Amino acid sequence: MADPQTNSETDSPSAFGTDLHLELNGPGLRAGLTEALREAVRTGRLAPGTRLPPSRSLAADLGVSRNTVTDAYAELIAEGWLTAQQGSGTRVARRTEPRRAAPAGPRTKPTRRRPTYGLLPGSPNLADFPRTQWLTAARRALTAAPYDAFGYGDARGRVELRTALADYLARARGVYAEPERIVICSGFHHGLALMAQVLRVRRVRAVAVESYGLDIYRDLLTSAGLRTPPVYVDEHGMRSGDLTGLRGVGAVLMTPAHQYPTGVALRPDRRAAAVDWARSTGGLILEDDYDGEFRYDREPVGALQGLDPERVVYCGSASKSLAPGVRLGWMVLPEGLVPDIMAAKGHGDYMSSALEQLTLAEFIKSGAYDRHVRSMRLRYRRRRDQLVAALAHRAPGIRVTGMAAGLQAVLELPRGTERSVVQAAARRGLAVSGMAEFRYEVPDSGWQLPEQDALVVNYAAPPDSAWAGALDTLCRVMP
């Protein structure tokens, strides 16, 4: 049988770029190849529609005769595993999967309905990622990239990005930043993991955390062998003066510019108290500046790091300003911490993608980053105002707080209603988070958080096509 793919160009093994891994087992080469191909199709390794290599190419790769491959193809075509058509080559047949009977046994739980709308905190508006501008920056960065950019490079990250960040952070966030003090990581989670390793090496036993925050960060610290005693958060942020009463604490993790998730800014005297504690004890402040660029009602609150760059580890990322998928974050470190972080980084994830780093560096230097942040700040502020106006009209008893900055607001609910509101929203296809998800208490700690029923609503995340529906559903479930 003639091979449908054979012609003067595609017959050359070098002309067809498909690699196919097959293990030939069986009494003969032809039978072994036939069974190997059949098994690859049966198990899904070769998906329906996949084009197979020409017979001469596959024969050369496997070290068998071309007739062996041609005969195997012919047999599988006759059985219905493959199809062949002049000009289209030999491909895996598109076969309908047989419907499998449901397994016997106890009744399975019903599948949870996928939300129609989502107002869960943690993500910016992914639909507004600046694709065109990012692509332009990537092209420029790749064109200008030196040869060494494609090697292993400096564990701190590309100097182009560290230099661009040093300028941007000093200008926009009031951070004392030198390129030599900056280490690039894959986001805040990665940076915190590196810090946890360093703290353990330095014999730190505990890292204080805010009484409201994300459990994934507390879990990361505890998995590294660190205790995480909570410090109370009120309407003025963390009560940093309480740090002096905690024993064995060598660092504190905090969100001073915009406390997550309550949305309050740390009061100036409490900023000073946190720095005083770090200076007097030799402790470190781990500052998570997760959305510091987005402030609406007044001049941006600068980073705490500017008060004492030798006692504060400043952490930022592109996750809120651009998108989590960019997977780039940065730490601005006290000078003495740089070697320790470098050592910790060298044991695991040595460096982030150099190409993404070069692209972000160009994106910042060209001014595209500033323009994008300003544009999104206007869009998010408009969303915030629409949320406040809709609730004032349709649910006037609901107080909205924590909305001077960031991507989310806190909707205070009547006592005892948080759980029922979250459930009512889920029934209507709306995913929302209650404040209880972020509450953190340690048993027998001597104090207890007051009851606070509220929703944490991310007004930034929905795409424009879903925003009106999400807002309407939210208003409908308000008590």
Side-chain angles (χ1 to χ4, degrees):
M1 175 180 177
D3 187 347
Q5 300 182 72
T6 302
N7 59 52
S8 59
E9 295 183 1
T10 60
D11 246 4
S12 170
S14 61
F16 198 94
T18 300
D19 283 334
L20 186 59
H21 173 73
L22 294 171
E23 294 184 4
L24 275 57
N25 298 311
L29 290 177
R30 178 174 175 274
L33 175 58
T34 304
E35 181 55 31
L37 287 167
R38 189 184 290 115
E39 184 66 14
V41 175
R42 182 187 296 116
T43 59
R45 272 204 313 116
L46 290 177
T50 300
R51 184 175 182 178
L52 300 183
S55 58
R56 185 174 296 173
S57 174
L58 185 58
D61 288 344
L62 297 177
V64 300
S65 72
R66 184 182 175 195
N67 285 339
T68 298
V69 177
T70 301
D71 290 346
Y73 279 0
E75 181 174 339
L76 294 172
I77 289 170
E79 293 177 0
W81 294 98
L82 306 178
T83 61
Q85 188 174 358
Q86 192 68 36
S88 180
T90 303
R91 296 178 181 271
V92 177
R94 299 186 181 276
R95 307 172 68 200
T96 303
E97 288 291 327
R99 180 175 296 178
R100 297 180 180 180
R107 296 179 62 183
T108 58
K109 295 181 179 179
T111 303
R112 181 174 295 180
R113 177 185 177 185
R114 183 175 181 178
T116 304
Y117 305 113
L119 295 172
L120 299 174
S123 175
N125 190 325
L126 302 180
D128 285 334
F129 182 83
R131 298 172 188 243
T132 302
Q133 295 85 350
W134 186 260
L135 182 59
T136 299
R139 286 172 173 164
R140 289 176 178 170
L142 279 174
T143 300
Y147 294 138
D148 67 0
F150 303 98
Y152 288 106
D154 192 330
R156 289 175 297 181
R158 290 297 306 178
V159 67
E160 295 90 341
L161 178 55
R162 291 188 284 115
T163 302
L165 282 170
D167 174 71
Y168 172 78
L169 293 173
R171 169 172 53 83
R173 300 298 300 129
V175 173
Y176 176 78
E178 297 174 337
E180 294 75 19
R181 288 173 173 249
I182 297 176
V183 172
I184 305 302
C185 50
S186 299
F188 177 71
H189 192 280
H190 181 207
L192 185 61
L194 294 173
M195 277 303 311
Q197 293 181 49
V198 169
L199 291 172
R200 286 293 295 165
V201 170
R202 292 187 166 209
R203 300 185 182 278
V204 170
R205 301 298 182 188
V207 177
V209 298
E210 295 166 320
S211 59
Y212 285 96
L214 287 171
D215 56 0
I216 57 172
Y217 299 146
R218 297 193 298 267
D219 292 344
L220 186 155
L221 294 170
T222 55
S223 66
L226 297 161
R227 293 187 296 107
T228 55
V231 180
Y232 183 66
V233 170
D234 61 21
E235 67 273 17
H236 302 299
M238 172 189 275
R239 290 200 316 211
S240 51
D242 295 349
L243 288 168
T244 58
L246 297 178
R247 294 184 178 181
V249 170
V252 56
L253 173 61
M254 56 196 310
T255 51
H258 187 225
Q259 203 283 324
Y260 190 88
T262 64
V264 299
L266 189 63
R267 203 168 61 185
D269 62 316
R270 295 190 178 183
R271 286 180 158 231
V275 172
D276 289 343
W277 168 83
R279 288 172 176 170
S280 64
T281 63
L284 288 170
I285 298 172
L286 312 182
E287 178 179 12
D288 180 7
D289 193 32
Y290 66 99
D291 64 358
E293 295 96 339
F294 299 110
R295 193 151 200 99
Y296 313 117
D297 292 348
R298 58 181 184 271
E299 289 298 314
V301 175
L304 180 66
Q305 189 261 10
L307 294 179
D308 193 336
E310 295 304 322
R311 299 259 53 97
V312 181
V313 176
Y314 175 89
C315 300
S317 77
S319 296
K320 302 297 185 296
S321 57
L322 288 170
V326 174
R327 303 311 306 140
L328 285 176
W330 41 88
M331 294 185 287
V332 183
L333 300 165
E335 187 175 4
L337 263 183
V338 175
D340 293 348
I341 290 291
M342 293 278 285
K345 201 165 189 276
H347 290 307
D349 187 0
Y350 181 71
M351 61 181 289
S352 303
S353 166
L355 302 183
E356 296 301 322
Q357 292 183 61
L358 291 171
T359 300
L360 181 56
E362 173 62 28
F363 199 71
I364 294 172
K365 289 188 296 182
S366 69
Y369 188 85
D370 283 85
R371 290 191 294 273
H372 176 71
V373 167
R374 287 197 299 269
S375 173
M376 297 312 298
R377 189 184 294 135
L378 292 174
R379 292 173 67 85
Y380 293 155
R381 178 171 184 168
R382 193 177 304 119
R383 287 274 186 94
R384 181 204 67 169
D385 293 346
Q386 290 168 349
L387 170 67
V388 172
L391 290 170
H393 177 64
R394 300 177 58 181
I398 300 300
R399 181 169 175 252
V400 185
T401 63
M403 58 184 177
L407 313 182
Q408 73 270 350
V410 175
L411 278 55
E412 297 184 0
L413 301 173
R415 187 168 181 176
T417 63
E418 178 183 310
R419 184 176 180 181
S420 62
V421 170
V422 171
Q423 292 173 342
R427 288 193 294 269
R428 290 178 176 267
L430 175 66
V432 291
S433 291
M435 185 63 77
E437 294 181 26
F438 307 96
R439 181 187 178 102
Y440 177 53
E441 290 179 312
V442 175
D444 303 322
S445 61
W447 58 269
Q448 185 175 7
L449 284 173
E451 294 291 335
Q452 182 182 3
D453 286 70
L455 299 183
V456 182
V457 173
N458 182 357
Y459 50 78
D464 289 343
S465 59
W467 169 237
L471 184 56
D472 175 69
T473 306
L474 178 67
C475 290
R476 288 176 181 273
V477 300
M478 287 295 101

